[in-house]
Amino acid sequence: MVEENTTDNDSCPSVTCIKPEWDECGKVRWPGIQNQKESANAKAVLLQPPIKTIPVIFLPGVMGTNLMGSGEGGDKSIWRGDNELKVYAKWAGKGGDKRRELLNPDTTKVDNRGDINQTIFSPLSDDGKLFPARRERGWGEVLFFSYGKFLSVFQGALTDDWQQALVNHGKPTPAKDGILSKLVGKSLSEGKDAEITGESVLTREELNHFQNFLFPVHVYGYNWLQDNKTSAEGLVTFINRTVSLYKNQHGHGMPFPAGQEKVIIVTHSMGGLVARYASQVCGAKDKILGIVHGVIPDLGSPAAYRRMKVGARQEGMAGTVLGSTAKDLMPVLARAPAPLQLLPSAKYLSGAPWLSVEGAGEDGSDVKLPKNRDPFGEIYLNKTLWYRLYESDIIDKDEAVSQSNWVEYNDLIDKNVQPFIELLDNIYHPNTYAFYGHKIESDGTLTWQKTSIFYPKNMHESDRTLPNNYREIPRPFNRSQIYEVTSSKTPGDGTVPVESLNAICRNSEIKSVLATGVEHQGAYDVSSLKDILSRPALQFTLRAIVKMVQEIPAS
């Protein structure tokens, strides 16, 4: 909120409004005040901007952080999302062996050199002085084509209202309203695209209070191949470093008692799991004012099984980049704990089966897994059945190498994947808001269906042309049965089905939950401040942040 500091003589006929500027350390000053004449009853109005800071930290989803090598010659870019077509060209032709070599959690680290969107969506720049430069705040760590525009618009929305009031102060025409002013009194439940629980509409008083603070957007990029536990521990360190920056080095401090400084966190997809683990397991809960989760795979998704088992060709260009076939993708995922931590937990569908295999029982009946609420033992660590999750010989045909692969994978599931999933069971920060998609067909359950295709065993391999989501299974009498994995196409965001959000929707401690028509990868897509008004997920996120700060005193 913009305040005025003036001289004591209210009868001054001459009034000069002096706008603030910021030095390199974020300290506010009013240049020109020393030039005001003491005579002529001049009056100076010092326009006072907000000065206390509450940092907002954004966490991207899986594949959303740029990676580079960490060994000798480690400055080499491995995964860089500056241009979608260039990423496609780089990865579309790479096979499983090369992908496994490059996308290794032990030889990669975050690359902060990515492109940064330079557009400023508010009257005054956030890129240096008012806040540290965008690159210093980590914006170069995430995929430009996925998050570049969003970060600029998001930052603009968090600073627009008080800046509009400041730059238009004293003008004869009414000041232009900031973007958040347009959300006052608006109910998201009124839209055809949205369903919301725990809604509290934004009031003018709440927005006025919100404008007492500054909200610099920082980005925590993390290695999306490594254990999410490791990334969560890194997030705790990042929170502490960010708090120290504004408490001791940049600007005028934070609006919290000493030792009780907090940040706000906004997450996309798997980033939500990292944030939850940091908050509720690693002890950062009291350093976080609140969390907004966007399309979080709360209980996991069968899409993680499908991608591992058949690749992601059906997902278009993004799927081709990720890995079209099982031979492309399985060798990478089998060594990367974080993507495996997206598999359905034992609580998914309340333990009911989500994977069916037609006619695979000994008596010809269908197999439905998990039978006993144990997807780890029945699917993920199964070593013999063809519909098991991991095939250790998919590119390594040597028996010794295949066995070594299995041992490594087995240890990864036992020591990293299962404990992480189980420790997150139904625990959330007490000031949590979440939105998810509920309109797009998704993998709620999966079925391996028999097809009418049969091949003689002696047919030449090159004559067998099968889509990547088909699987050939040997049968008696010199025949083989072809199976196709099919999706239930239940509502969701295209990746995470609504079934994965059951725990969040039922948790009475969650402040508010929005179901809307967002697509998983594009959950935060936005092109401008005005575009926010047609995107319920962005409105929900911004409104949640306004709500979070109401408990913080303005002075």
Side-chain angles (χ1 to χ4, degrees), residues 447-491:
T447 301
W448 285 102
Q449 290 183 332
K450 289 182 178 181
T451 73
S452 59
I453 305 173
F454 289 88
Y455 285 132
K457 286 185 179 180
N458 59 2
M459 177 178 283
H460 195 275
E461 188 70 26
S462 63
D463 293 330
R464 305 183 184 200
T465 55
L466 289 173
N468 66 305
N469 58 327
Y470 280 53
R471 177 56 58 93
E472 181 181 356
I473 306 302
R475 285 290 180 259
F477 308 111
N478 199 37
R479 291 282 184 177
S480 57
Q481 172 69 59
I482 306 301
Y483 281 84
E484 176 188 8
V485 64
T486 61
S487 169
S488 59
K489 298 182 178 180
T490 53

Side-chain angles (χ1 to χ4, degrees), residues 171-189:
K171 292 184 177 180
T173 56
K176 176 184 175 183
D177 283 338
I179 187 63
L180 295 185
S181 296
K182 296 177 172 59
L183 303 183
V184 171
K186 182 177 181 179
S187 172
L188 296 181
S189 63

